[in-house]
Structures are given as C-alpha cells and as structure tokens.
Amino acid sequence: MGKTFTEKVLGRKAGKDIVPGEIIEVEPDVAMSHDNTAAISKTFYNIGVDKVYNPEMHVIILDHCTPAANEKFAQNHKVIREFVKKQGIPNFYDIEVGICHQVMHEKGHVWPGALIVGSDSHTTSYGAFGAFSAGIGRSEMAVIMARGKIWLRVPETIRIWVEGEFPEGIASKDLMLKIAGEIGADGALYKAIEFCGPTIDRMSVASRFVLTNMAVEIGAKAGYMIPNAETLAYLRERVKTPFEIVESDPDAIYEAEYKFDVSALEPMIAKPHTVDNVVPVSVVKGTKIDQVFFGSCTNARVEDFEVVSNVLRGKKVHPEVRMLVFPASAEVYLEVLKRGWITDLAEAGCVIMNPGCGPCMGNHEGVPADGEVTLATSNRNFKGRLGNKESFVYLVSPMTAAVSALTGKIEDFREYQNDMRL
Amino acid sequence: MLIKGRVWKYGDDINTDVLFPGKYTYTVTDAKEMAKIALEDLDPEFAKNVQKGDVIVGGANFGCGSSREQAASCLLYAGVGAVVAKTFARIFFRNCINFGLPALTSEKAVDALEHGESIEIDTEKGEILCEAGVFSFPPLPEEVVGIFDAGGLIPYTKKQLGIK
C-alpha cells in the first residue's frame, strides 16, 4: 500500500512504518517560537531543566508586537533576548527582521521533507516548501526545549486538486477563500492537506504560501505541496541543510479529494466573523470601509506589493480610509523600496509601517474603533481579532484591498480594470 | 474524576480569540486575571458568574484559530471542570490535555444539553449525566492518557525526566 507524504516524513522520524491515527513521539528538525518565547522560557525553567536540549533546533523570531507597544511587551522581549543569550540559541531574529513565517524560509530554516513545529497556528505555512509543519502549544515548546521531543497523531490526508488558469487579477487568496467557503472552517479538522494539480505547479512561491498558510483556517494540521522549480530555485539560494524531496506514492490512500477549477473564479471575500463566511466580492460591493490592513504572513510579499502599487500609483487613497502597509519582512521591505513601490504607496496616502504582524491579533498599530470596518489581506477575521470586538473584519486579496481603498467602499476590481494599469 | 456543575452552552466554531482575546496574550499572565477575561468577547456574563465545576458545551470545531494555550488554561483558572463539544480544533485539544482539562467529545450530549442545566461527568466511567439521560464519550488515546493523569504536560515531563 502506498504512503502519503505525511506518513513518510513522520514514519522516518518515528523510525517505523506508521498508519493514520497512530500516535508517535518524534524529534522535530526545527522548532519555531516568537514573542511567546518569554512565557515558554518560564515554563521551561519550571520543569526544572537548566540547559536547552538542542539550541540549534530552535528558531526564535520577534514579530507579534514589534517594536514593543508598552512596558509589558518590552519586558517580554527583554526576557527573550536574555534567554537566547544564556542558552546560546544561534538562530534569533530581533524586531527588525520580519514576520516569523516569512523569516523562517527567507533565512533557510525550511526545507523539503523537514519536520517543523511552531508555537503558532500558522506554522502550517511551510508545507509550501515541501516540509511537514504543524502548530503546537507553548507548554509543548517548553518540553521540546527540555527533551527535544513531542507526540503527534499521524493525520489522514485529504487532497485538494486545482486546475485552470486564473482570470486576470484573481489570486491565490481568492482561491483559498473559495476553498474555505466550500469546505468550511472544520472541513480539514485534524487532517493533512495536499494541494496539487497543474495550477498549483504553476503558481509562484508567494502565491503557494497563501494556501498552506491558511490551511489551518479549515482545521488542518499541515498543508503540503510538491516544491515546484521556482520553489527549489528559491530554496537553493538559502538552505544549507542537505535535503531530499518527499512525495506521496501514486497509490497512497486519501481520505477525501476535492477538485477546484479557477478559470471562472471571481474575487472572493470572507465576511465577519468567520473565515468560511465567504461570498463573491460582488455580493457585498459598496460596503463602506474605514481601514485597509495590507500586511500579515498571508499577503505582504513582493508580488502583493506589485499588485497594490500598480493600483495606487498616481492615485490617492480615499480621504475617509486609513490604509496601513506592513511588508512581511525587512527583505521584502528593501526590495519594494528599491523598486520604488514604497514611494508610490506613500504618495498615495498609505501609512507605511514596519515589518511585523501589526494589528493582526489586536496588540497595536491599527486597532479599529467601535463599528469600524477593516478590509484585511490577513488570514483571520474572528470577532475582536484586531483588538476591538465591536469592529468588523473582511478578508480579501491585495487587489480587492487596493481598489477598495481608492473608493472607500468594497469594490469588485473587475469593474475598474479599464481604469487601471493592471 | 467526578465533575459537577452547570452548563454554559455555545455554538459552533468557538474560536481562541473569543475565548482569550489576542490583545491579552502577552500582557495578562496571572491566573486570577486570566480567569476574569475568559470568554470576554463571547459572553461577558461568563467570567462573573462561572462556578467551580461548571462545564462549557460547544458545537463543532471548538477552540479553532490560534495556538494560544491561554484559551484552555483561562478556562481551568476560571474553575471550568470540563469542555464538551462535537469536535475540537486540534491545537486547542492538545492544550487541554497538556493542562489536564478534560476535553470530551459527544455529539449526542451536546445536542441534548441545555444552557444552565446541571451536569455530572465521570471521567473514569466515560459518562455524562444530565436531564436527558446518560451519554458516553470516547477515552483519550492510551499514549496520551499518562499526560492527563499526571495533571498535565509539565508534571508529566518532570516525572519522565526524574525531576521532583
């Protein structure tokens, strides 16, 4: 019987032949944590261990509230810096580097076939590079620091096949929202997802990432894709660890299969307050917006800036809209700065913020007021997500966000296509 | 373990942001303070009125969203004896085990239970007793029952490492 990618990677780690449903104890290749490392370090010391089991395994990235919004966040960062120094953890990225899920692959900590865990739910992201990666809790990370191991249940795998050419301006975010709307927020609960098909093979590194990043929004433990040529070229420049691509066998068993054709896909939007509350943008066209959040680990990479700056160049953001721009990382920031796109956005009236998570979990840098509507390129629109439960968050692609910023209302960008340099 | 209390019933897809808002994840760390903001964005009455042993009942995908374990630990600190749901999001489920908070799956019990009614749970027998009758729930997998029995992942790890 054939094996899925997940069964192969987890089986190799467990040192035995495994089947879905089995619980195994494994040693991850990489363990990522962020601002929550302060709490993790406290739990680690509470266990009664002094030295981290394998400092090389850990990657610590500050991004969730950077720079510190108040003395509590500042203290939190200080505890982490001291912990990193004391434990000799070599892979530490301070507040200037960027969002953890972006920095992980930029700095070569992600490779095909790797087993990666992270104390952040969007750790599913690294499947876009052919890794098995799953989110875990803080205490579990503390235990990995103490003894290098974690228990995992071997998940069943579902396959999402995507074919067709994207219509002009329609992006992977529209596809992911469509998938979330159809499969539902618990449609892949406890499962590993394999995204495959000719469309997935053709997509850019950044576009593929959107799908695995949001795999957790439909309940998945991990999302995976076979790395394509562009992905491998990207990784070769960055990864020092030797790796082998792991793929599912042709006769592997999938629990379910879904098929999507993007050739007639429309711009999609997730309405408040769940990620699967999805409709075509045309249904909510005209809804007044107060803020645009262009950022997050989902959509704030170079190709997203290209789309947004092409829309806003030479134009002005609507006077009643605040448009906040957060590049995913310093690397992205520098690249889009060199290309002149930051100038375009600043001239259009955007507020250019620092690389990091921004307001994504309501810590700072753009918390909305009561009753306000935010159009976000991020991945989550739960009630109170941006820090105010009396506000509303809609999730969209960068294209929809940019066009709507111009008019102050949710827009179907296709009606504006002739008007813009797309 | 015998759990006795009242039911607090909510719907499907109860997410970690309404259980423990993201804005508090780095600033509210004291157990008593965490208990006060449990379910803040879902039910402001909850934290004020919850009593020791009370049980939270939810629909499908309970605890979806973030990996933040405070979404589970704040319930424990508020006195919650167990969470009963149709299904759990995976990281939340792990966090419950890791804190020794019973996270029990029973679709039938969830459908039968009503907000405010009295409930009794016997974790050893695997039974939920309520107005509508007796409902069973599946035991934890053998491999992780040790974590739960030790009182959570940290005491379990101490035991494994021979630390007192």
Side-chain angles (χ1 to χ4, degrees):
Chain A
M1 192 179 75
K3 294 272 178 206
T4 64
F5 158 81
T6 294
E7 291 151 23
K8 286 184 183 181
V9 170
L10 294 182
R12 196 189 62 208
K13 278 283 171 188
K16 59 178 184 179
D17 204 26
I18 52 166
V19 291
E22 209 172 323
I23 288 176
I24 52 169
E25 195 172 62
V26 287
E27 189 167 310
D29 293 304
V30 182
M32 190 282 297
S33 55
H34 45 65
D35 300 40
N36 57 21
T37 310
I40 291 166
S41 69
K42 198 174 154 202
T43 307
F44 165 77
Y45 286 125
N46 279 345
I47 296 171
V49 178
D50 292 331
K51 283 300 290 175
V52 168
Y53 172 81
N54 178 8
E56 312 273 333
M57 184 196 287
H58 296 274
V59 180
I60 298 170
I61 302 161
L62 301 188
D63 64 354
H64 270 51
C65 185
T66 55
N70 61 36
E71 74 278 16
K72 284 196 172 167
F73 289 103
Q75 189 59 33
N76 192 65
H77 288 165
K78 187 179 177 202
V79 167
I80 297 168
R81 291 185 189 110
E82 287 171 356
F83 179 73
V84 162
K85 221 179 245 178
K86 190 172 171 198
Q87 294 296 336
I89 293 169
N91 298 309
F92 171 63
Y93 301 95
D94 213 315
I95 67 159
E96 73 281 10
V97 191
I99 305 177
C100 60
H101 302 305
Q102 177 70 12
V103 173
M104 278 289 281
H105 59 83
E106 281 182 356
K107 302 294 183 188
H109 300 300
V110 172
W111 59 88
L115 170 59
I116 305 174
V117 293
S119 50
D120 186 281
S121 60
H122 293 108
T123 301
T124 53
S125 300
Y126 318 133
F129 301 91
F132 181 90
S133 57
I136 60 170
R138 290 178 178 184
S139 296
E140 299 184 296
M141 188 57 79
V143 169
I144 291 174
M145 284 178 177
R147 55 182 293 267
K149 292 191 179 67
I150 184 163
W151 67 269
L152 293 173
R153 180 184 168 279
V154 181
E156 297 81 6
T157 301
I158 66 174
R159 203 157 87 122
I160 297 180
W161 175 271
V162 187
E163 58 188 28
E165 291 279 349
F166 282 104
E168 202 176 344
I170 303 290
S172 60
K173 181 62 158 291
D174 299 300
L175 167 62
M176 189 58 220
L177 292 175
K178 174 87 179 165
I179 293 172
E182 291 209 357
I183 297 182
D186 62 348
L189 205 58
Y190 297 108
K191 312 297 179 205
I193 300 176
E194 278 188 37
F195 294 96
C196 52
T199 309
I200 302 291
D201 294 340
R202 281 195 302 268
M203 283 162 77
S204 68
V205 173
S207 291
R208 288 157 55 95
F209 192 96
V210 172
L211 302 177
T212 51
N213 173 264
M214 289 187 67
V216 68
E217 305 306 337
I218 52 174
K221 179 170 200 156
Y224 163 79
M225 297 169 182
I226 299 171
N228 61 5
E230 190 184 321
T231 303
L232 289 172
Y234 177 90
L235 290 171
R236 278 196 196 104
E237 285 174 20
R238 294 159 196 266
V239 178
K240 292 192 186 80
T241 316
F243 63 81
E244 233 178 278
I245 296 168
V246 182
E247 292 183 29
S248 295
D249 292 327
D251 58 341
I253 310 280
Y254 295 96
E255 196 188 70
E257 299 199 37
Y258 298 90
K259 211 171 184 177
F260 290 86
D261 186 335
V262 298
S263 43
L265 188 61
E266 295 180 65
M268 304 300 285
I269 189 165
K271 298 190 291 178
H273 296 286
T274 56
V275 184
D276 59 356
N277 190 11
V278 174
V279 293
V281 167
S282 52
V283 173
V284 287
K285 199 176 69 173
T287 305
K288 191 184 169 303
I289 59 172
D290 302 286
Q291 179 169 276
V292 173
F293 166 31
F294 171 34
S296 87
C297 53
T298 312
N299 276 121
R301 280 173 273 278
V302 175
E303 69 173 32
D304 303 320
F305 273 83
E306 182 169 24
V307 168
V308 173
S309 57
N310 279 347
V311 171
L312 296 186
R313 188 174 302 117
K315 300 190 170 67
K316 286 282 179 202
V317 167
H318 191 273
E320 287 175 23
V321 173
R322 313 177 295 269
M323 177 149 178
L324 313 177
V325 177
F326 299 80
S329 67
E331 186 179 312
V332 170
Y333 197 174
L334 282 168
E335 182 58 32
V336 298
L337 194 64
K338 279 180 205 153
R339 296 189 189 195
W341 297 341
I342 290 291
T343 308
D344 293 335
L345 298 185
E347 283 178 350
C350 296
V351 183
I352 312 297
M353 307 293 286
N354 58 304
C357 299
C360 199
M361 72 297 309
N363 285 329
H364 66 159
E365 297 185 330
V367 177
D370 288 2
E372 286 189 338
V373 171
T374 299
L375 208 53
T377 65
S378 58
N379 44 36
R380 220 164 251 168
N381 61 348
F382 299 150
K383 198 173 187 184
R385 178 71 185 172
L386 296 182
N388 184 346
K389 67 176 174 180
E390 304 301 335
S391 72
F392 304 88
V393 184
Y394 290 75
L395 305 177
V396 292
S397 72
M399 174 68 92
T400 299
V403 174
S404 305
L406 291 175
T407 65
K409 303 189 300 278
I410 295 173
E411 298 289 358
D412 185 332
F413 75 84
R414 295 170 302 179
E415 292 166 20
Y416 287 78
Q417 233 159 2
N418 299 333
D419 204 26
M420 313 220 168
R421 286 165 286 174
L422 293 174
Chain B
M1 191 194 296
L2 205 62
I3 299 150
K4 267 179 157 180
R6 295 166 308 156
V7 168
W8 294 81
K9 189 169 177 178
Y10 305 103
D12 289 337
D13 300 314
I14 299 302
N15 67 69
T16 51
D17 277 295
V18 295
L19 292 171
F20 191 88
K23 62 186 171 187
Y24 300 132
T25 54
Y26 302 104
T27 51
V28 182
T29 51
D30 174 71
K32 270 189 198 151
E33 295 301 313
M34 285 171 67
K36 281 187 208 158
I37 54 174
L39 273 64
E40 184 178 276
D41 285 357
L42 179 67
D43 179 0
E45 293 305 308
F46 174 80
K48 284 183 242 164
N49 298 306
V50 63
Q51 285 168 18
K52 198 163 168 50
D54 281 359
V55 172
I56 291 183
V57 175
N61 203 22
F62 192 95
C64 63
S66 162
S67 67
R68 74 184 66 128
E69 64 188 16
Q70 300 97 312
S73 59
C74 76
L75 304 181
L76 194 72
Y77 301 147
V80 168
V83 185
V84 181
K86 290 187 178 177
T87 53
F88 287 95
R90 59 166 286 273
I91 308 180
F92 180 83
F93 184 70
R94 295 180 71 96
N95 287 334
C96 286
I97 294 173
N98 291 337
F99 274 86
L101 174 66
L104 314 171
T105 311
S106 171
E107 203 167 324
K108 282 182 185 159
V110 170
D111 284 336
L113 286 162
E114 296 205 18
H115 192 82
E117 76 166 280
S118 295
I119 182 170
E120 270 185 53
I121 298 172
D122 187 329
T123 55
E124 261 118 73
K125 281 194 195 155
E127 283 179 353
I128 298 167
L129 283 78
C130 61
E131 185 84 9
V134 182
F135 299 91
S136 63
F137 55 85
L140 277 177
E142 218 177 294
E143 294 87 346
V144 296
V145 81
I147 299 173
F148 187 81
D149 287 349
L153 184 64
I154 301 308
Y156 176 76
T157 304
K158 279 187 180 177
K159 222 164 83 180
Q160 267 187 320
L161 295 173
I163 298 168
K164 285 195 177 156

